[in-house]
Each structure stands twice: as structure tokens, then as C-alpha cells.
Amino acid sequence: MSLHIGGSWDPLERIKELVNNLRALSSIPDGGTTSFSTIDFIRPVSILPIASYAFDHNITIQNANSYLDSIEFPDGTNTSEFNKIGQTYFPITKADLKSASRDGREEKLRFLSDQYPKLLRRNIDDQEFLDRVGNNVFYLLISEMVDNIMEHSEADLAYIFSQFWPANNSCEICLLDNGIGIYQSLKNAGRSVTDDMDALEKVIRQHLSAKDEFGSQKRGTGIKNTINLLSNNELNGYFCVISGNAGYFIDNNGRNHFINLTQVSWNGTIICMGFQKPPKHVDIYEYIR
Amino acid sequence: MSIFDKHINLQKEFDVSALNNRATAKKLVKSIQSSWVNTVVLDFSDIEFASRSFLDELNSHLPHIEKEVKKTNMNASVREMDELVQQPNRQAHSPLNNSESYSESELLTF
């Protein structure tokens, strides 16, 4: 089965397309080969999980185009090579956590969440967009999600890829890891969860978290605050999370869906966040609790 | 500052301009706890941003540390986040402020 990346701007349509592509990839044996039948318009959530899956399973994908070469698909560039990234060159970025000690893992992910927002801002050539969004939106979106990878994922690899489209003043950030996923993380922490969907529903609806503090459970705030910040009429954005065979999507148009993935499962967690140029400067503190 | 104070410049200590995660706060708490001084000064000079996770983790441990811990040189943004995480019942703008709203979500199958 070949892969298809169409031209839809609708993030929910692209999530559906991604699930179809992951299903196609999962039918290919490790070390196998596939190709793109269509590449209309590449966006982070369309391509990053494919890159990660192909890398993890040593799958060769033919018919890649020059844009995919420029973003170093599928291998990506390592966080240690951040200094090579220029203003017209913003590749898939990978934090290899495989052989790192606990301190080494934390160091790599700390570096990612400190440096990546600066790199992303440097690659956005629209001062009005940057002024209105400010530093804090980038820091908040990236740091909360990287912190979840650091605290809960037990991942060997973490990836991030972002794009800014000047034509419609919008930005999309996709992060993912190949760790244990939300369900297993909560289960390991002794929480009462039955499967991927149950775990995700409890994270979204009840703010269930794997965190403990002084012997009692803590409620999670990272995803909640991220949703608050994105799904409003300032950033006009969207948020999506996929873990195992469950997903959740919300946007500022009132679409709010849990998603059941059939015949495919992501080992780890995928996060996609998108937003547009706000009408005025965004105060992130209005959206945090 | 007396010789019984310890001054930690957080930007230099962690080589970052954003304090972004719980692990960094845990490391800092360990460093404070293992210090023999009575007073520790946390210097936020050149820190552009501190995440809710970082400050929540730090602030939750401070009452359990038998030392005086002072925070200095926070910029307006960091100070706002610090004050915010110490307000447990704060309401924020949210498209879905209660769990009932989520029950209206339609289940999709892809």
C-alpha cells in the first residue's frame, strides 16, 4: 500500500489521512519499501509520524521529493546539530535518548525545550506575527509537551517538526515520542485505566495524571492549559493527541472529538498543535490555571 | 548576602534561558536541600520564561525545605507565572470549563 498526502487545510482531515497512512505503513514488514502515491502539501502532522515510523522500522519510502530532502526526511537532524540550522533550513529534529543516562536524557530534552522555540521564532519571517504571539506562546506549547515526554514517556526517541505558512499566517507544531504511551504510563503509576481510550478520556475530562506529590495524586494541567490556549478566538487553533489506538481533537470552531483508531496503534504519543496570527498580543496567563 | 547564604544564578546553573520542566526543578530542590547554608537565593536574572510545571514543582517543595529560599530578579512574565501557580482555584478562559462539556464530544472512528 502506498502513502497519500493530500492538500487539505482541515487539521481533522489530515489526522484521518495520517491514520490511513499509519495503517498502510503497519502492513509493511520491517526493512520493507513503500512509496508516496501523492504528495500535495506537506504539513508537520502529515509527515512527522511517517518519518518516525519509517526510521524505527527501517522502511524505505520512495518518491520522496526535494522538500522532503530539505527537511531531512526521514532521519531528521539531531539536537546536537542545532547550530547548523539556518533561516531557510528547518528540518525534522530528533532527540536520541537511547543510550543516555537519566541526567543525559533530561539534558537533551531540556536543551530541546529551551532552544527549539528560539529556532522556530527565527524561522518565522513575520514580525507582526512574532510580536502578537510573543515568546511565551512558543515556550508554553513546546515546554509542556516536552515535559510530558521527559516525565512519563520512557521513550528512546523524541521528534519535533514545525512549519509556518506566511500565506495564511498560521503555524503548526508536531511532537511525538516512541515511548510507552498514556495508557501504560497511567497504569504504571497505579491509576485505574482499562485501555487507551479510557486513559485518554480520563486525561482530557478529569485531568488524570501519573504524577504523585507527597503521597497523593496530582492533577495534570499541561494538556488542559494547552487546549485553553489554542482553542479560542485569539489563536484560532487546534490541538490533537494520539496515543495507542485512541485520539482526541479539539479546535476553536467547537469541534471536539474522541477518535477510535481501527487496526492501527501508535506506540507512544503524537501531539499536534496549530494556531493562526492573533488579532492582538496574546496574554498566555489568561489561559493557565 | 552573608557567608551563610547561597546564591544560585539559574541561567548559569542550567545553561538555559527558559526553565521549562519538572526535572530541572527537582534538581534545583536537591541542590537546595544538600546545601549547608540557612538561606538560598534563587536568582532568575536572564531567565525569559518559567513554565507552570517548573514553578509548580519548585513551589510545592519549598514549604518542606528547612531553609529560607528567596527568589530574586524575576521578570514580569516569570513573576506572573509564579503568582499564578500559587492560586490553586484560579479560573482560566477555557472552551470547555467542565467535564460535562466533553461528554458532548462526538466519537469518530478512523
Side-chain angles (χ1 to χ4, degrees):
Chain A
M1 286 175 76
S2 58
L3 309 174
H4 164 85
I5 295 180
S8 175
W9 278 100
D10 179 355
L12 194 54
E13 277 301 308
R14 287 186 276 124
I15 301 296
K16 188 175 183 179
E17 179 187 85
L18 169 68
V19 173
N20 286 334
N21 283 332
L22 292 176
R23 202 176 289 122
L25 279 170
S26 67
S27 69
I28 298 162
D30 285 9
T33 300
T34 186
S35 60
F36 287 106
S37 61
T38 323
I39 304 179
D40 280 348
F41 202 92
I42 293 166
R43 296 176 181 86
V45 76
S46 310
I47 201 69
L48 191 64
I50 294 176
S52 167
Y53 192 97
F55 182 83
D56 274 3
H57 295 266
N58 195 26
I59 292 172
T60 302
I61 302 179
Q62 297 169 334
N63 301 352
N65 64 19
S66 59
Y67 176 71
L68 287 177
D69 290 341
S70 75
I71 62 170
E72 300 198 17
F73 174 86
D75 293 359
T77 192
N78 208 286
T79 48
S80 60
E81 296 175 290
F82 265 11
N83 59 343
K84 293 181 190 167
I85 298 174
Q87 282 199 323
T88 54
Y89 164 73
F90 202 44
I92 290 170
T93 298
K94 179 167 67 181
D96 185 352
L97 312 168
K98 221 168 294 177
S99 52
S101 63
R102 184 177 174 82
D103 277 357
R105 268 174 75 84
E106 288 175 5
E107 188 61 37
K108 284 184 180 186
L109 291 171
R110 184 162 44 235
F111 183 76
L112 182 67
S113 59
D114 183 56
Q115 293 296 314
Y116 195 86
K118 293 176 191 168
L119 278 175
L120 177 52
R121 284 182 61 86
R122 210 175 68 189
N123 278 270
I124 295 175
D125 187 21
D126 181 336
Q127 196 54 47
E128 190 174 65
F129 185 97
L130 293 173
D131 290 344
R132 291 183 186 178
V133 170
N135 285 331
N136 290 350
V137 167
F138 293 101
Y139 274 132
L140 186 140
L141 294 177
I142 293 169
S143 68
E144 290 293 351
M145 297 304 114
V146 171
D147 201 35
N148 284 341
I149 295 173
M150 192 184 293
E151 292 289 318
H152 309 300
S153 75
E154 300 180 25
D156 286 339
L157 288 166
Y159 289 79
I160 184 166
F161 182 51
S162 312
Q163 285 175 330
F164 171 71
W165 300 285
N168 70 350
N169 292 311
S170 66
C171 182
E172 184 173 287
I173 304 168
C174 183
L175 295 100
L176 62 84
D177 67 70
N178 68 350
I180 60 175
I182 292 172
Y183 166 58
Q184 196 60 47
S185 170
L186 290 171
K187 202 174 163 198
N188 291 352
R191 306 295 185 259
S192 174
V193 285
T194 54
D195 55 26
D196 291 321
M197 184 58 83
D198 182 47
L200 188 56
E201 282 191 2
K202 285 175 175 163
V203 165
I204 300 289
R205 290 180 171 173
Q206 300 168 17
H207 319 306
L208 185 67
S209 161
K211 284 191 288 285
D212 285 312
E213 189 177 85
F214 305 112
S216 58
Q217 292 182 19
K218 282 206 81 170
R219 280 157 65 91
T221 55
I223 287 181
K224 176 69 183 166
N225 288 330
T226 303
I227 288 173
N228 287 352
L229 179 62
L230 290 171
S231 331
N232 60 68
N233 293 327
E234 280 204 291
L235 284 175
N236 290 303
Y238 50 90
F239 173 86
C240 179
V241 51
I242 292 172
S243 186
N245 59 18
Y248 176 72
F249 174 88
I250 183 167
D251 69 9
N252 68 311
N253 296 317
R255 290 189 299 180
N256 166 36
H257 300 293
F258 285 92
I259 304 165
N260 184 27
L261 280 59
T262 55
Q263 297 172 344
V264 68
S265 179
W266 181 263
N267 294 327
T269 304
I270 300 170
I271 300 284
C272 176
M273 303 175 286
F275 56 95
Q276 294 175 26
K277 183 192 279 187
K280 60 180 177 56
H281 179 72
V282 177
D283 178 3
I284 63 165
Y285 300 105
E286 289 182 10
Y287 299 99
I288 295 174
R289 65 175 180 185
Chain B
M1 198 170 87
S2 81
I3 58 164
F4 300 109
D5 293 351
K6 180 177 182 177
H7 180 270
I8 304 176
N9 180 305
L10 298 171
Q11 191 275 327
K12 288 181 180 152
E13 180 80 7
F14 296 106
D15 193 24
V16 292
S17 48
L19 295 163
N20 271 338
N21 48 67
R22 288 184 186 275
T24 305
K26 286 175 193 164
K27 212 170 177 176
L28 180 59
V29 167
K30 269 189 186 170
S31 167
I32 297 169
Q33 282 170 328
S34 63
S35 164
W36 57 272
V37 300
N38 296 323
T39 303
V40 177
V41 179
L42 302 180
D43 185 347
F44 285 76
S45 299
D46 300 318
I47 295 295
E48 290 173 20
F49 178 79
S51 73
R52 192 194 184 287
S53 302
F54 171 85
L55 288 167
D56 178 59
E57 189 71 31
L58 176 65
N59 288 333
S60 68
H61 282 86
L62 292 185
H64 304 272
I65 296 174
E66 291 175 352
K67 296 180 200 303
E68 187 182 4
V69 179
K70 295 177 182 169
K71 300 171 192 161
T72 63
N73 297 323
M74 286 180 165
N75 70 20
S77 167
V78 175
R79 193 179 311 111
E80 191 161 2
M81 186 71 95
D82 190 43
E83 287 167 2
L84 188 152
V85 297
Q86 296 178 69
Q87 300 168 23
N89 297 318
R90 178 190 152 86
Q91 287 298 308
H93 291 316
S94 170
L96 301 167
N97 259 328
N98 54 59
S99 61
E100 286 74 28
S101 303
Y102 287 101
S103 63
E104 294 166 8
S105 57
E106 183 191 353
L107 177 66
L108 302 177
T109 299
F110 286 170

